[in-house]
Amino acid sequence: MRRPLIAGNWKMNLNHLEAIAVTQKLAYSLEERDFDAVDVAIFPPFTDLRSVQTLVDGDRLRISYGAQDVSPEKSGAFTGDISASMLKKLDCTYVIVGHSERRAIHGESDELLNRKLRAVLNSEMHPIFCIGEALEIRESGQHVSYVVDQLRNGLKGLHKPDLKKIIFAYEPVWAIGTGKTATPEDAQEVCAAIRKELIKIGSEEISQNARILYGGSVKSANIVEIMKQADVDGALVGGASLEPEEFARICKFHRVI
Ligand code: 13P
């Protein structure tokens, strides 16, 4: 059985003081039975991570956290960048790699993302590798082959022990921040295709154990139907993760399934 993961990507929102307040509220809005059933993770901006670490450690919260991006380089003259080993030192469990906003705004290529995946894996964290198509591709009906290509290109040359550690997130660009959610069937179609491709890239076992998340306008009103899909193992939540009560309601989806 794959354990569900509900991940909150805060993007460029909440300073370190706000991060402490939101994380505390989230922790108090959830009960032990929620943490027993679901992995809950938050992805604050870099400048919040140390504060979140101190709070999670100090209060022994059952919330894990990670970074939204990472440099592919180990160290050196890369002004403004943050290395995987720095994130590991802050006890990050996960790092998001290849979010569509990084691909679109910063022009991140499949080759670069492959290097970032390797950097995260070399520092013994779990990448959350994001893939997803833009609206034109969806409308042309090419979305499945497009996403499968992104998957293959991103994972090029990675070995099975590393493939096992990667979490996948299908985030159709047209559903991000638009209030336009993919239907549960849309999410299932692509998540199933990702799982099928993982048999070829990795193995049957890797495919069966891989956690595949859906992201794009997830909220408490639609999480249950999304989580009912056979190949969807969790959600990568943007806007709704900034409201701790709403994010907690999303994490409680398991109470009704
Ligand atoms: P929204 O939930 O705001 O649509 O964002 C989704 C997302 O990009 C999560 O990474």
Side-chain angles (χ1 to χ4, degrees), residues 19-231:
I20 293 170
V22 167
T23 307
Q24 273 169 334
K25 271 193 200 143
L26 174 63
Y28 296 130
S29 305
L30 292 168
E31 296 173 23
E32 293 304 318
R33 61 176 166 146
D34 300 311
F35 294 113
D36 289 342
V38 179
D39 285 342
V40 177
I42 52 174
F43 294 79
F46 290 131
T47 49
D48 300 1
L49 284 172
R50 175 65 177 155
S51 306
V52 169
Q53 179 192 26
T54 305
L55 174 64
V56 165
D57 279 359
D59 290 2
R60 298 180 186 217
L61 305 183
R62 294 175 72 185
I63 294 174
S64 45
Y65 54 88
Q68 300 172 15
D69 184 36
V70 67
S71 169
E73 307 292 344
K74 279 202 172 80
S75 65
F78 301 100
T79 302
D81 286 345
I82 301 290
S83 72
S85 65
M86 291 170 178
L87 298 173
K88 179 67 181 175
K89 202 74 184 162
L90 288 163
D91 276 339
C92 286
T93 305
Y94 311 100
V95 179
I96 297 174
V97 172
H99 190 279
S100 61
E101 286 149 18
R102 304 264 353 146
R103 292 178 189 259
I105 303 167
H106 300 273
E108 297 194 356
S109 64
D110 290 339
E111 294 70 31
L112 175 69
L113 298 176
N114 182 270
R115 295 180 60 220
K116 290 190 175 195
L117 287 173
R118 290 168 191 268
V120 174
L121 292 162
N122 287 338
S123 287
E124 286 165 5
M125 296 176 289
H126 295 277
I128 299 189
F129 182 44
C130 301
I131 48 188
E133 82 287 355
L135 186 60
E136 317 83 82
I137 296 164
R138 162 71 50 172
E139 285 175 344
S140 73
Q142 301 297 305
H143 51 284
V144 170
S145 61
Y146 181 87
V147 170
V148 165
D149 276 351
Q150 280 184 323
L151 181 72
R152 266 201 233 114
N153 294 337
L155 301 184
K156 211 166 260 173
L158 295 181
H159 297 301
K160 288 181 185 174
D162 279 340
L163 294 172
K164 281 185 190 165
K165 295 179 191 141
I166 302 176
I167 295 163
F168 302 89
Y170 169 54
E171 294 209 310
V173 178
W174 48 272
I176 294 179
T178 56
K180 229 175 146 181
T181 327
T183 64
E185 295 73 26
D186 288 339
Q188 168 59 21
E189 180 194 29
V190 180
C191 291
I194 293 169
R195 195 175 306 288
K196 198 167 153 209
E197 192 62 23
L198 286 172
I199 303 176
K200 289 191 219 157
I201 300 171
S203 66
E204 180 69 41
E205 189 204 349
I206 287 171
S207 162
Q208 278 312 311
N209 291 328
R211 292 200 284 184
I212 306 175
L213 316 181
Y214 167 77
S217 300
V218 172
K219 39 189 182 285
S220 58
N222 57 29
I223 186 68
V224 171
E225 289 310 309
I226 290 168
M227 290 305 295
K228 279 184 186 165
Q229 304 304 310
D231 289 293

